[in-house]
Amino acid sequence: MSRGRRGIAVVGLGMAVRPHAQSLLDLADRVEVVWAASRSAERCQAFAREFPFPVTTELDRVLRDERVEAVLVLTPPASHAELGAAVLAAGRALLIEKPIGLDTGTAVALAEQAARLGRPVGVVLQHRFRPAAQALAAAIADGGLGPLCSGQCQVPWWRPQAYYDEPGRGTLARDGGGVLLTQAIHVLDVFRALVGTVEVQASIATTTGLHRMESEDHVVALARLGEDRAPGTILASTACYPGFPERIELVFRHATVRLEGGRLDLYHHDGRHEQLAGAAASGGGADPMAFSHEAHRALLTDFLDALDEDRPPKVGLPDLIATRRLIDALLRP
């Protein structure tokens, strides 16, 4: 292995792997993929035809390999507790896909184990690394927008029934839930991080007649936002054909901001308008992978920087746990 390159293993070669693999190719000067692993030999073979990484079906082989410094876990949620614990126990750094297990307790247990062992853990909540989201976070931190007066978070996405016909998709046993954990968690995480706190006042979580599935595909809620408990609304759905860009709108004393997909508009109340980023596909329609891998690359870059600088990743388990608790509140009867 070349000096200065981190050895990483990828575990899980399903639908989520493509933007990660593309990002790892982009970062080849900083990282070497030692193994790409799946229990399925067929998935290993299909992955190897597209990406130039060594493949294996043996997780033990991955964790025994001293070249592996960090493991990227991309498997379904039901496997996160066991795999995450095994990676940390093996002395490796961990980067793990959301939502980390079937319930919030799994993420809390993983955080406690990581703290005991002193292992860094990053979470794949890549929307935080979109330039527009980062620009809005910086504008809010600057204080010039004034206090928050109201806000809304909308995820009006679409998934066809064929998506939920895949074995395990949308079930409590494999995914732990529906639209909130699998799709809207990214936007909810950005929303929560921007406003500070989200206190759910009332919510309805349901399965519409558009889907045959075990978990929810449509959620609406009223909330109080931030320290001043500003009024807010939340919509999360995969029943909005044909699927529209996710949107966060926040009204501050001095400006109204609109974060839609990858685009940010600031409408200052004195009449000025700023556009700080361009549009970006979000995967809100029938093809869940119809988006650029740039945010994944930025997240992986930060994870590598964190290892180099001996600091926590910018988005880690405390963020994921806070967002999971928001989702728990949205689902509470």
Side-chain angles (χ1 to χ4, degrees):
M1 187 179 303
S2 301
R3 184 179 179 182
R5 297 172 73 199
R6 295 277 183 180
I8 193 168
V10 179
V11 177
L13 305 181
M15 182 175 63
V17 75
R18 177 180 290 274
H20 293 282
Q22 292 171 326
S23 299
L24 290 166
L25 286 176
D26 291 348
L27 296 169
D29 62 329
R30 297 193 59 186
V31 65
E32 180 174 342
V33 178
V34 179
W35 294 110
S38 172
R39 291 183 300 178
S40 167
E42 290 76 17
R43 281 192 174 177
C44 284
Q45 292 165 5
F47 181 82
R49 286 194 292 269
E50 187 170 2
F51 296 100
F53 306 138
V55 295
T56 181
T57 59
E58 301 176 36
L59 179 62
D60 288 345
R61 184 179 189 182
V62 171
L63 296 182
R64 289 196 310 266
D65 195 323
E66 294 183 357
R67 296 174 297 166
V68 175
E69 301 174 68
V71 178
L72 173 53
V73 173
L74 306 178
T75 55
S79 65
H80 287 175
E82 180 180 357
L83 283 176
V87 169
L88 294 178
R92 307 306 197 264
L94 173 64
L95 179 58
I96 186 168
E97 262 286 0
K98 55 78 184 171
I100 306 187
L102 301 178
D103 54 42
T104 304
T106 299
V108 172
L110 198 65
E112 291 172 348
Q113 182 186 7
R116 287 195 308 271
L117 298 175
R119 309 293 182 217
V121 180
V123 181
V124 181
L125 290 168
Q126 73 275 1
H127 283 211
R128 291 271 209 104
F129 291 87
R130 287 179 167 183
Q134 292 182 322
L136 178 51
I140 293 172
D142 181 64
L145 301 179
L148 179 67
C149 300
S150 67
Q152 58 177 303
C153 175
Q154 296 193 24
V155 189
W157 286 5
W158 167 254
R159 293 291 185 267
Q161 180 58 41
Y163 175 84
Y164 292 110
D165 288 340
E166 289 290 326
R169 190 73 60 69
T171 65
L172 298 178
R174 194 198 80 158
D175 289 349
V179 60
L180 291 175
L181 278 180
T182 304
Q183 285 86 27
I185 186 171
H186 290 290
V187 188
L188 289 171
D189 179 68
V190 173
F191 185 61
R192 182 198 57 76
L194 291 173
V195 303
T197 58
V198 181
E199 181 185 337
V200 177
Q201 302 291 294
S203 66
I204 299 173
T206 189
T207 307
T208 69
L210 291 165
H211 292 130
R212 299 181 305 276
M213 56 187 291
E214 181 181 10
S215 55
E216 84 289 348
D217 70 348
H218 193 88
V219 179
V220 292
L222 299 175
R224 292 287 186 177
L225 311 176
E227 293 181 359
D228 295 329
R229 303 184 76 246
T233 60
I234 295 171
L235 163 71
S237 182
T238 53
C240 295
Y241 181 83
F244 303 93
E246 64 276 9
R247 184 170 72 251
I248 292 173
E249 290 182 353
L250 302 175
V251 179
F252 295 91
R253 180 170 297 171
H254 303 304
T256 297
V257 300
R258 182 184 181 106
L259 180 64
E260 185 171 28
R263 171 175 168 166
L264 173 64
D265 288 278
L266 279 79
Y267 299 93
H268 296 275
H269 294 172
D270 62 7
R272 291 176 295 125
H273 172 224
E274 293 180 82
Q275 185 181 110
L276 300 184
S282 64
D287 181 0
M289 304 308 293
F291 57 82
S292 164
H293 69 283
E294 291 178 0
H296 284 80
R297 184 176 61 217
L299 181 145
L300 278 161
T301 297
D302 174 72
F303 183 71
L304 294 172
D305 289 345
L307 295 181
D308 290 346
E309 298 164 11
D310 193 26
R311 62 165 173 84
K314 289 181 180 177
V315 180
L317 287 170
D319 303 281
L320 184 280
I321 291 168
T323 300
R324 288 288 308 248
R325 286 178 172 150
L326 169 57
I327 289 172
D328 290 343
L330 289 167
L331 290 171
R332 196 169 294 134

